[in-house]
Amino acid sequence: MADVAFRLAAPSRRLTSGAVAGALVLASAYLLPPLVGSTYLFEAILLPFLALSLAGLGLNLLTGYAGQLSLGSAAFMAVGAYAAFNFDLRVPGLPFVGSLILGGLSAAAVGLAFGLPSLRLRGFYLAVSTLAAQFFVQWALNKFDWFSNGSASGVVRAPDIVLAGHVIDGPVERYLFALTVVVAATLFAVRLANSQTGRNFIAVRDNETAARIVGVPVLRTKLVAFAVSSFIIGVAGALWSFAYLRTIEPAGFNLDRSFQILFIVIIGGLASIRGAFFGAALIVVLPLALSRLGQAAFGGAFDSGVLELSQRVLLGALIIAFLIAEPKGLVALADRARARALRPFLKPPYGG
Amino acid sequence: MSTSTIAAPRAATEGARAADASAPALEVAGVSLAFGGVTALTGVDLKVAEGEIFSVIGPNGAGKSSLINVVSGLYRPNAGCVLIGRKSFAAVPAAALASLGVARTFQNLALFNGLDVAGNVAMGLAHQDRTGLFGQIVGSPGARAEEARSLVTEILAFIELTAIADRAPGTLPYGVRKRVELARALVSRPKLLLLDEPMAGMNAAEKADMVRFVRAARDRWGATVVLIEHDIGVVMEISDRIAVLDHGRKIADGAPAEVRDDKGVIDAYLGVAHDDDEIPLELAGAA
């Protein structure tokens, strides 16, 4: 889907089958959970899944496509959440969607500023410099209580999401709202990945010198990657706070969160739109499944401390396993499985 | 060796080109380059006429790649200047190279492995894209995209890559990847094409194909070609003129026959021990 670079002669089959699959996924995402889902499904699984998927999607544009490693994702989420809160609070008459977009734009501005070192630094050194964003933003949010409207702890209750006079209330409505935002952002990301800018991202990642020689504006491309990525991550932060947690707190956007989003991208699959969703699904479901399994196997001995520990061990092992065995992540596994399943029905792709 | 360090005019006007059709496509004047204490080029002068296939040869470490890197703006020379068309540069701006009508290939492959073959070739047109980000997201591909597509299609057909247009470069044999890089350089119809060892590591059949493509770059698309190549047989066959570098200095410059019989050139080749598998002068007439 997003891996398509420059379809030349036969865009038809892959594109249409992708569109059909996308439409099916969309339809079931909108229709199935409201019909069959429990509150638990929405609150514990679907809402965090959507917010984390969106954050992973944003980071994947930066790290997967443009090759710029960032450890500041949670900081950009925090900027998006707190900026949306403040726009909602301080600009009377601004619709919530406006606050959401302005929150994203604020995150983009901060992302742009912290992306400036990418013009000189690469890889590990750049990653360390993006850590500065992580610590600076958390410090600023704790230091200046203006951001949290005077709350000493920095924790504030998220205001209601209001759309055209209608208060988005209850898990199902919040889910549908978050889903719509994620769908819009995903369409944007797909378009971007297949545009000239998206190909410039890949060119800068794969060979910066060659990219420069063919006339890719390398510096501008990197900054665009930081801005667009931070915008999406900022919106994800707002969803996380407004639609999922219903509170906004700096502690939720700590370094652990940044790593979690990086793991989502690595496990799901770098430079793939679907990868973020696969990775987020695993990250969200893993602790729940582990808890159930542990309870079933060990009963009371499997308390929350053991759960936390075993979860970290398992996640660490998974990341190492993926980096060694399948650096392209769950997406590559899924594609292989599908190819194997479909093989009897399809002609060979490169006509004999 | 005349080390004429010309204080050249900064940027001659574009309009002047039409007036003087015989201006060289590329001129390198007194270029010296050193990395710390190591000298790579010393006072190198070259003039490449428009429509020429001009080869630069020399033993390993003679400074051939350094020269190409200076011309394409990856290295900034310590002295001298580079004239592309009628524009003179103390340091060629690499980011504007494609807009100047210059394309190049690299000695070690420099393909974009995340893009398929057609995508790599299309990147050769990246400098022409002026659509803003918003337009790219919201707009539909316009006339320019159609034109780009047809250019890519044409060059893929010509370099015989159509059948593998949607393959990832990483899955292709080395010789084919070299051809993809040539296609990426050719797709923008450059006035000046710099090829850094395009035939290295190829077998005889692949080399023959490459010779055909390089000739066509000149004959069909009017590119002036500057070629670095170790296979002397190919160089003798294909070149209009040849310059020989040794230890960063130009030791000969002329038609293939002149260069072949030049005493200094023979000494440079035979006097330098090679530990690689290339025995250049033996291969005259091959390919």
Side-chain angles (χ1 to χ4, degrees), chain B residues 115-143:
Chain B
L115 297 173
D116 61 13
V117 167
N120 268 277
V121 174
M123 281 309 293
L125 299 167
H127 65 285
Q128 295 177 0
D129 194 273
R130 291 282 170 272
T131 321
L133 181 61
F134 186 76
Q136 292 176 23
I137 303 292
V138 179
S140 61

PDB file of all heavy atoms in Angstrom, chain B residues 115-143:
ATOM      1  N   LEU B 115      13.162   2.447  -2.698  1.00  0.00           N
ATOM      2  CA  LEU B 115      12.313   2.728  -3.861  1.00  0.00           C
ATOM      3  C   LEU B 115      12.552   1.645  -4.903  1.00  0.00           C
ATOM      4  O   LEU B 115      13.652   1.099  -4.990  1.00  0.00           O
ATOM      5  CB  LEU B 115      12.656   4.091  -4.463  1.00  0.00           C
ATOM      6  CG  LEU B 115      12.439   5.320  -3.577  1.00  0.00           C
ATOM      7  CD1 LEU B 115      12.995   6.575  -4.252  1.00  0.00           C
ATOM      8  CD2 LEU B 115      10.958   5.495  -3.292  1.00  0.00           C
ATOM      9  N   ASP B 116      11.530   1.353  -5.701  1.00  0.00           N
ATOM     10  CA  ASP B 116      11.753   0.365  -6.757  1.00  0.00           C
ATOM     11  C   ASP B 116      12.553   0.999  -7.903  1.00  0.00           C
ATOM     12  O   ASP B 116      12.928   2.166  -7.844  1.00  0.00           O
ATOM     13  CB  ASP B 116      10.418  -0.243  -7.223  1.00  0.00           C
ATOM     14  CG  ASP B 116       9.476   0.811  -7.793  1.00  0.00           C
ATOM     15  OD1 ASP B 116       9.932   1.928  -8.048  1.00  0.00           O
ATOM     16  OD2 ASP B 116       8.291   0.504  -7.960  1.00  0.00           O
ATOM     17  N   VAL B 117      12.818   0.194  -8.923  1.00  0.00           N
ATOM     18  CA  VAL B 117      13.683   0.664 -10.014  1.00  0.00           C
ATOM     19  C   VAL B 117      13.100   1.922 -10.665  1.00  0.00           C
ATOM     20  O   VAL B 117      13.791   2.932 -10.848  1.00  0.00           O
ATOM     21  CB  VAL B 117      13.874  -0.461 -11.055  1.00  0.00           C
ATOM     22  CG1 VAL B 117      14.488   0.080 -12.331  1.00  0.00           C
ATOM     23  CG2 VAL B 117      14.774  -1.552 -10.471  1.00  0.00           C
ATOM     24  N   ALA B 118      11.808   1.882 -10.969  1.00  0.00           N
ATOM     25  CA  ALA B 118      11.187   3.052 -11.599  1.00  0.00           C
ATOM     26  C   ALA B 118      11.241   4.258 -10.671  1.00  0.00           C
ATOM     27  O   ALA B 118      11.477   5.385 -11.114  1.00  0.00           O
ATOM     28  CB  ALA B 118       9.738   2.736 -11.971  1.00  0.00           C
ATOM     29  N   GLY B 119      11.050   4.004  -9.378  1.00  0.00           N
ATOM     30  CA  GLY B 119      11.108   5.092  -8.404  1.00  0.00           C
ATOM     31  C   GLY B 119      12.495   5.706  -8.326  1.00  0.00           C
ATOM     32  O   GLY B 119      12.645   6.922  -8.215  1.00  0.00           O
ATOM     33  N   ASN B 120      13.516   4.852  -8.391  1.00  0.00           N
ATOM     34  CA  ASN B 120      14.879   5.361  -8.399  1.00  0.00           C
ATOM     35  C   ASN B 120      15.129   6.237  -9.626  1.00  0.00           C
ATOM     36  O   ASN B 120      15.710   7.312  -9.518  1.00  0.00           O
ATOM     37  CB  ASN B 120      15.879   4.198  -8.410  1.00  0.00           C
ATOM     38  CG  ASN B 120      16.295   3.792  -7.018  1.00  0.00           C
ATOM     39  OD1 ASN B 120      17.174   4.403  -6.439  1.00  0.00           O
ATOM     40  ND2 ASN B 120      15.631   2.785  -6.472  1.00  0.00           N
ATOM     41  N   VAL B 121      14.680   5.752 -10.772  1.00  0.00           N
ATOM     42  CA  VAL B 121      14.908   6.520 -11.993  1.00  0.00           C
ATOM     43  C   VAL B 121      14.146   7.848 -11.920  1.00  0.00           C
ATOM     44  O   VAL B 121      14.671   8.905 -12.276  1.00  0.00           O
ATOM     45  CB  VAL B 121      14.478   5.695 -13.226  1.00  0.00           C
ATOM     46  CG1 VAL B 121      14.579   6.524 -14.489  1.00  0.00           C
ATOM     47  CG2 VAL B 121      15.347   4.447 -13.333  1.00  0.00           C
ATOM     48  N   ALA B 122      12.927   7.797 -11.384  1.00  0.00           N
ATOM     49  CA  ALA B 122      12.125   9.021 -11.282  1.00  0.00           C
ATOM     50  C   ALA B 122      12.788  10.044 -10.373  1.00  0.00           C
ATOM     51  O   ALA B 122      12.608  11.250 -10.558  1.00  0.00           O
ATOM     52  CB  ALA B 122      10.724   8.685 -10.771  1.00  0.00           C
ATOM     53  N   MET B 123      13.573   9.573  -9.392  1.00  0.00           N
ATOM     54  CA  MET B 123      14.255  10.510  -8.503  1.00  0.00           C
ATOM     55  C   MET B 123      15.237  11.390  -9.266  1.00  0.00           C
ATOM     56  O   MET B 123      15.610  12.462  -8.801  1.00  0.00           O
ATOM     57  CB  MET B 123      15.006   9.766  -7.390  1.00  0.00           C
ATOM     58  CG  MET B 123      14.141   9.288  -6.244  1.00  0.00           C
ATOM     59  SD  MET B 123      13.076  10.531  -5.521  1.00  0.00           S
ATOM     60  CE  MET B 123      14.266  11.630  -4.778  1.00  0.00           C
ATOM     61  N   GLY B 124      15.662  10.955 -10.437  1.00  0.00           N
ATOM     62  CA  GLY B 124      16.528  11.792 -11.271  1.00  0.00           C
ATOM     63  C   GLY B 124      15.852  13.089 -11.688  1.00  0.00           C
ATOM     64  O   GLY B 124      16.505  14.022 -12.139  1.00  0.00           O
ATOM     65  N   LEU B 125      14.521  13.129 -11.538  1.00  0.00           N
ATOM     66  CA  LEU B 125      13.768  14.339 -11.894  1.00  0.00           C
ATOM     67  C   LEU B 125      13.375  15.139 -10.656  1.00  0.00           C
ATOM     68  O   LEU B 125      12.600  16.094 -10.759  1.00  0.00           O
ATOM     69  CB  LEU B 125      12.503  13.947 -12.676  1.00  0.00           C
ATOM     70  CG  LEU B 125      12.765  13.220 -13.998  1.00  0.00           C
ATOM     71  CD1 LEU B 125      11.481  12.605 -14.525  1.00  0.00           C
ATOM     72  CD2 LEU B 125      13.342  14.181 -15.015  1.00  0.00           C
ATOM     73  N   ALA B 126      13.906  14.751  -9.489  1.00  0.00           N
ATOM     74  CA  ALA B 126      13.456  15.371  -8.237  1.00  0.00           C
ATOM     75  C   ALA B 126      13.639  16.887  -8.253  1.00  0.00           C
ATOM     76  O   ALA B 126      12.823  17.618  -7.699  1.00  0.00           O
ATOM     77  CB  ALA B 126      14.220  14.774  -7.050  1.00  0.00           C
ATOM     78  N   HIS B 127      14.695  17.352  -8.911  1.00  0.00           N
ATOM     79  CA  HIS B 127      14.967  18.797  -8.873  1.00  0.00           C
ATOM     80  C   HIS B 127      13.922  19.602  -9.628  1.00  0.00           C
ATOM     81  O   HIS B 127      13.840  20.807  -9.483  1.00  0.00           O
ATOM     82  CB  HIS B 127      16.345  19.072  -9.457  1.00  0.00           C
ATOM     83  CG  HIS B 127      16.453  18.728 -10.913  1.00  0.00           C
ATOM     84  ND1 HIS B 127      16.546  17.438 -11.362  1.00  0.00           N
ATOM     85  CD2 HIS B 127      16.451  19.506 -12.017  1.00  0.00           C
ATOM     86  CE1 HIS B 127      16.613  17.441 -12.681  1.00  0.00           C
ATOM     87  NE2 HIS B 127      16.554  18.678 -13.103  1.00  0.00           N
ATOM     88  N   GLN B 128      13.134  18.928 -10.480  1.00  0.00           N
ATOM     89  CA  GLN B 128      12.126  19.662 -11.258  1.00  0.00           C
ATOM     90  C   GLN B 128      10.841  19.863 -10.484  1.00  0.00           C
ATOM     91  O   GLN B 128       9.980  20.631 -10.908  1.00  0.00           O
ATOM     92  CB  GLN B 128      11.812  18.904 -12.555  1.00  0.00           C
ATOM     93  CG  GLN B 128      12.999  18.825 -13.472  1.00  0.00           C
ATOM     94  CD  GLN B 128      12.696  18.014 -14.706  1.00  0.00           C
ATOM     95  OE1 GLN B 128      11.599  17.507 -14.875  1.00  0.00           O
ATOM     96  NE2 GLN B 128      13.680  17.896 -15.573  1.00  0.00           N
ATOM     97  N   ASP B 129      10.677  19.159  -9.364  1.00  0.00           N
ATOM     98  CA  ASP B 129       9.403  19.234  -8.667  1.00  0.00           C
ATOM     99  C   ASP B 129       9.293  20.527  -7.889  1.00  0.00           C
ATOM    100  O   ASP B 129      10.098  20.812  -7.017  1.00  0.00           O
ATOM    101  CB  ASP B 129       9.241  18.046  -7.719  1.00  0.00           C
ATOM    102  CG  ASP B 129       7.807  17.935  -7.248  1.00  0.00           C
ATOM    103  OD1 ASP B 129       7.452  18.581  -6.247  1.00  0.00           O
ATOM    104  OD2 ASP B 129       7.041  17.224  -7.908  1.00  0.00           O
ATOM    105  N   ARG B 130       8.296  21.306  -8.228  1.00  0.00           N
ATOM    106  CA  ARG B 130       8.108  22.591  -7.546  1.00  0.00           C
ATOM    107  C   ARG B 130       6.774  22.635  -6.802  1.00  0.00           C
ATOM    108  O   ARG B 130       6.409  23.663  -6.269  1.00  0.00           O
ATOM    109  CB  ARG B 130       8.165  23.733  -8.563  1.00  0.00           C
ATOM    110  CG  ARG B 130       9.528  23.958  -9.154  1.00  0.00           C
ATOM    111  CD  ARG B 130      10.443  24.704  -8.208  1.00  0.00           C
ATOM    112  NE  ARG B 130      11.816  24.717  -8.699  1.00  0.00           N
ATOM    113  CZ  ARG B 130      12.691  23.766  -8.433  1.00  0.00           C
ATOM    114  NH1 ARG B 130      12.356  22.731  -7.703  1.00  0.00           N
ATOM    115  NH2 ARG B 130      13.913  23.842  -8.898  1.00  0.00           N
ATOM    116  N   THR B 131       6.038  21.515  -6.801  1.00  0.00           N
ATOM    117  CA  THR B 131       4.758  21.503  -6.111  1.00  0.00           C
ATOM    118  C   THR B 131       4.991  21.571  -4.608  1.00  0.00           C
ATOM    119  O   THR B 131       5.829  20.862  -4.075  1.00  0.00           O
ATOM    120  CB  THR B 131       3.994  20.197  -6.420  1.00  0.00           C
ATOM    121  OG1 THR B 131       4.199  19.877  -7.781  1.00  0.00           O
ATOM    122  CG2 THR B 131       2.516  20.367  -6.156  1.00  0.00           C
ATOM    123  N   GLY B 132       4.238  22.416  -3.931  1.00  0.00           N
ATOM    124  CA  GLY B 132       4.363  22.489  -2.475  1.00  0.00           C
ATOM    125  C   GLY B 132       3.791  21.252  -1.825  1.00  0.00           C
ATOM    126  O   GLY B 132       3.093  20.456  -2.464  1.00  0.00           O
ATOM    127  N   LEU B 133       4.095  21.098  -0.537  1.00  0.00           N
ATOM    128  CA  LEU B 133       3.645  19.920   0.188  1.00  0.00           C
ATOM    129  C   LEU B 133       2.123  19.787   0.146  1.00  0.00           C
ATOM    130  O   LEU B 133       1.581  18.719  -0.112  1.00  0.00           O
ATOM    131  CB  LEU B 133       4.132  20.003   1.630  1.00  0.00           C
ATOM    132  CG  LEU B 133       3.757  18.828   2.541  1.00  0.00           C
ATOM    133  CD1 LEU B 133       4.357  17.539   2.011  1.00  0.00           C
ATOM    134  CD2 LEU B 133       4.231  19.081   3.951  1.00  0.00           C
ATOM    135  N   PHE B 134       1.444  20.913   0.368  1.00  0.00           N
ATOM    136  CA  PHE B 134      -0.016  20.880   0.394  1.00  0.00           C
ATOM    137  C   PHE B 134      -0.573  20.405  -0.954  1.00  0.00           C
ATOM    138  O   PHE B 134      -1.463  19.560  -1.010  1.00  0.00           O
ATOM    139  CB  PHE B 134      -0.554  22.273   0.742  1.00  0.00           C
ATOM    140  CG  PHE B 134      -2.032  22.301   0.938  1.00  0.00           C
ATOM    141  CD1 PHE B 134      -2.598  21.800   2.096  1.00  0.00           C
ATOM    142  CD2 PHE B 134      -2.858  22.838  -0.040  1.00  0.00           C
ATOM    143  CE1 PHE B 134      -3.968  21.820   2.269  1.00  0.00           C
ATOM    144  CE2 PHE B 134      -4.223  22.857   0.130  1.00  0.00           C
ATOM    145  CZ  PHE B 134      -4.792  22.356   1.294  1.00  0.00           C
ATOM    146  N   GLY B 135      -0.009  20.952  -2.025  1.00  0.00           N
ATOM    147  CA  GLY B 135      -0.459  20.566  -3.357  1.00  0.00           C
ATOM    148  C   GLY B 135      -0.244  19.077  -3.626  1.00  0.00           C
ATOM    149  O   GLY B 135      -1.057  18.434  -4.287  1.00  0.00           O
ATOM    150  N   GLN B 136       0.864  18.557  -3.082  1.00  0.00           N
ATOM    151  CA  GLN B 136       1.154  17.132  -3.297  1.00  0.00           C
ATOM    152  C   GLN B 136       0.136  16.244  -2.582  1.00  0.00           C
ATOM    153  O   GLN B 136      -0.218  15.175  -3.056  1.00  0.00           O
ATOM    154  CB  GLN B 136       2.548  16.789  -2.777  1.00  0.00           C
ATOM    155  CG  GLN B 136       3.663  17.422  -3.588  1.00  0.00           C
ATOM    156  CD  GLN B 136       5.016  17.126  -2.976  1.00  0.00           C
ATOM    157  OE1 GLN B 136       5.178  16.162  -2.251  1.00  0.00           O
ATOM    158  NE2 GLN B 136       5.982  17.963  -3.279  1.00  0.00           N
ATOM    159  N   ILE B 137      -0.316  16.715  -1.400  1.00  0.00           N
ATOM    160  CA  ILE B 137      -1.235  15.899  -0.619  1.00  0.00           C
ATOM    161  C   ILE B 137      -2.645  15.981  -1.204  1.00  0.00           C
ATOM    162  O   ILE B 137      -3.329  14.974  -1.373  1.00  0.00           O
ATOM    163  CB  ILE B 137      -1.274  16.384   0.853  1.00  0.00           C
ATOM    164  CG1 ILE B 137       0.116  16.361   1.456  1.00  0.00           C
ATOM    165  CG2 ILE B 137      -2.240  15.551   1.677  1.00  0.00           C
ATOM    166  CD1 ILE B 137       0.706  15.022   1.663  1.00  0.00           C
ATOM    167  N   VAL B 138      -3.061  17.207  -1.517  1.00  0.00           N
ATOM    168  CA  VAL B 138      -4.452  17.425  -1.896  1.00  0.00           C
ATOM    169  C   VAL B 138      -4.662  17.291  -3.394  1.00  0.00           C
ATOM    170  O   VAL B 138      -5.650  16.719  -3.856  1.00  0.00           O
ATOM    171  CB  VAL B 138      -4.919  18.825  -1.411  1.00  0.00           C
ATOM    172  CG1 VAL B 138      -6.353  19.070  -1.810  1.00  0.00           C
ATOM    173  CG2 VAL B 138      -4.751  18.924   0.094  1.00  0.00           C
ATOM    174  N   GLY B 139      -3.704  17.818  -4.175  1.00  0.00           N
ATOM    175  CA  GLY B 139      -3.891  17.892  -5.618  1.00  0.00           C
ATOM    176  C   GLY B 139      -3.811  16.533  -6.297  1.00  0.00           C
ATOM    177  O   GLY B 139      -3.344  15.557  -5.717  1.00  0.00           O
ATOM    178  N   SER B 140      -4.286  16.495  -7.526  1.00  0.00           N
ATOM    179  CA  SER B 140      -4.112  15.283  -8.319  1.00  0.00           C
ATOM    180  C   SER B 140      -2.869  15.493  -9.177  1.00  0.00           C
ATOM    181  O   SER B 140      -2.488  16.626  -9.459  1.00  0.00           O
ATOM    182  CB  SER B 140      -5.328  15.060  -9.209  1.00  0.00           C
ATOM    183  OG  SER B 140      -5.471  16.156 -10.083  1.00  0.00           O
ATOM    184  N   PRO B 141      -2.208  14.400  -9.550  1.00  0.00           N
ATOM    185  CA  PRO B 141      -0.988  14.550 -10.347  1.00  0.00           C
ATOM    186  C   PRO B 141      -1.276  15.313 -11.643  1.00  0.00           C
ATOM    187  O   PRO B 141      -2.179  14.971 -12.385  1.00  0.00           O
ATOM    188  CB  PRO B 141      -0.555  13.112 -10.605  1.00  0.00           C
ATOM    189  CG  PRO B 141      -1.690  12.258 -10.207  1.00  0.00           C
ATOM    190  CD  PRO B 141      -2.520  13.023  -9.248  1.00  0.00           C
ATOM    191  N   GLY B 142      -0.523  16.345 -11.872  1.00  0.00           N
ATOM    192  CA  GLY B 142      -0.807  17.216 -13.003  1.00  0.00           C
ATOM    193  C   GLY B 142      -0.077  16.821 -14.261  1.00  0.00           C
ATOM    194  O   GLY B 142       0.419  15.701 -14.400  1.00  0.00           O
ATOM    195  N   ALA B 143       0.000  17.769 -15.170  1.00  0.00           N
ATOM    196  CA  ALA B 143       0.623  17.517 -16.465  1.00  0.00           C
ATOM    197  C   ALA B 143       2.104  17.188 -16.288  1.00  0.00           C
ATOM    198  O   ALA B 143       2.650  16.339 -16.977  1.00  0.00           O
ATOM    199  CB  ALA B 143       0.451  18.740 -17.357  1.00  0.00           C
TER     200      ALA B 143
END
